Amino acid sequence: MATIGNNNLNAKLVLLGDMGAGKSSLVLRFVKGQFLEFQESTIGAAFFSQTLAVNDATVKFEIWDTAGQERYHSLAPMYYRGAAAAIIVYDITSTESFTRAKKWVQELQKQGNPNMVMALAGNKADLEEKRKVTAEEARVYAEENGLFFMETSAKTAINVNDIFYEIAKKLPRAQPAQNPTGMVLADRPAERSQAASCCSS
């Protein structure tokens, strides 16, 4: 969830996508400004945090970079449950990774936080000559599914910071911290039970 305090927002963000799509490279570029030509596959998930200043607030991202291998798929809900944002990453040179990205989107739509900010990242935009997925195809898909879309390159840093800034701007600002005083709106009893069930996780 995203929690708020004094214009500081803590937001859990998860990266999902096929193995080799460049999730770890995107995070490494965003958090450390680095790019490794040969990145080890993530096992399970890796955790990073990074703080951004957006308008008059600071957003601290708690970033979970999940493993893309199929054998780790069953662990994914542990990471995206309660996440305020997700970046679904595919490789523009691989139609399979784009198909896989669509499966992740469907899974999040069914099981993720309904207010989650979702971004679709077409990574490896520097490999234009090997492109298999057009930007137009991905943009149309993203629009139809309520995601925003950017092509990125962890290698050249194109749009890497931008995609995280866009997410930070789109995060809901009005979310109070987890029921800080246990206050209940007495004039709206019908919503009490809903509010209690939605926020207890």
Side-chain angles (χ1 to χ4, degrees):
M1 288 307 261
T3 52
I4 233 172
N6 302 334
N7 278 352
N8 293 340
L9 191 69
N10 276 12
K12 178 179 172 185
L13 181 149
V14 63
L15 282 96
L16 299 163
D18 213 358
M19 179 180 160
K23 300 180 296 299
S24 300
S25 295
L26 280 178
V27 177
L28 203 61
R29 172 63 83 182
F30 173 58
V31 174
K32 299 185 176 168
Q34 296 174 345
F35 176 77
L36 303 176
E37 197 65 56
F38 299 102
Q39 177 84 22
E40 294 282 324
S41 285
T42 304
I43 295 172
F47 177 78
F48 300 86
S49 71
Q50 178 71 303
T51 303
L52 291 178
V54 182
N55 304 331
D56 55 350
T58 56
V59 175
K60 182 184 180 195
F61 278 125
E62 293 155 6
I63 303 168
W64 288 97
D65 168 25
T66 64
Q69 295 103 309
E70 191 56 50
R71 67 175 181 270
Y72 294 117
H73 188 141
S74 61
L75 297 176
M78 272 189 342
Y79 299 109
Y80 66 63
R81 195 171 291 128
I87 302 178
I88 297 101
V89 184
Y90 71 92
D91 169 355
I92 69 159
T93 72
S94 161
T95 46
E96 292 83 9
S97 80
F98 186 51
T99 303
R100 189 92 186 84
K102 292 178 179 177
K103 289 201 172 96
W104 279 117
V105 171
Q106 288 166 351
E107 185 169 327
L108 288 177
Q109 286 169 336
K110 280 199 199 97
Q111 300 177 39
N113 160 12
N115 302 318
M116 187 186 285
V117 176
M118 288 201 278
L120 181 65
N123 196 32
K124 308 194 185 180
D126 52 290
L127 299 176
E128 182 60 49
E129 70 287 354
K130 296 182 179 169
R131 175 190 289 277
K132 298 271 190 342
V133 182
T134 68
E136 190 51 36
E137 181 186 357
R139 185 174 292 109
V140 168
Y141 173 77
E143 281 171 10
E144 286 170 352
N145 287 276
L147 296 88
F148 77 88
F149 166 68
M150 273 187 190
E151 288 199 338
T152 56
S153 167
K155 186 170 190 174
T156 62
I158 293 168
N159 282 345
V160 175
N161 289 352
D162 304 18
I163 200 163
F164 286 93
Y165 271 103
E166 262 322 296
I167 289 172
K169 284 192 226 156
K170 289 177 190 297
L171 287 170
R173 287 283 179 276
Q175 271 181 330
Q178 298 282 313
N179 208 359
T181 55
M183 70 183 196
V184 171
L185 300 176
D187 59 330
R188 295 163 80 180
E191 290 186 9
R192 255 174 82 175
S193 57
Q194 288 176 339
S197 63
C198 85
C199 305
S200 58
S201 56

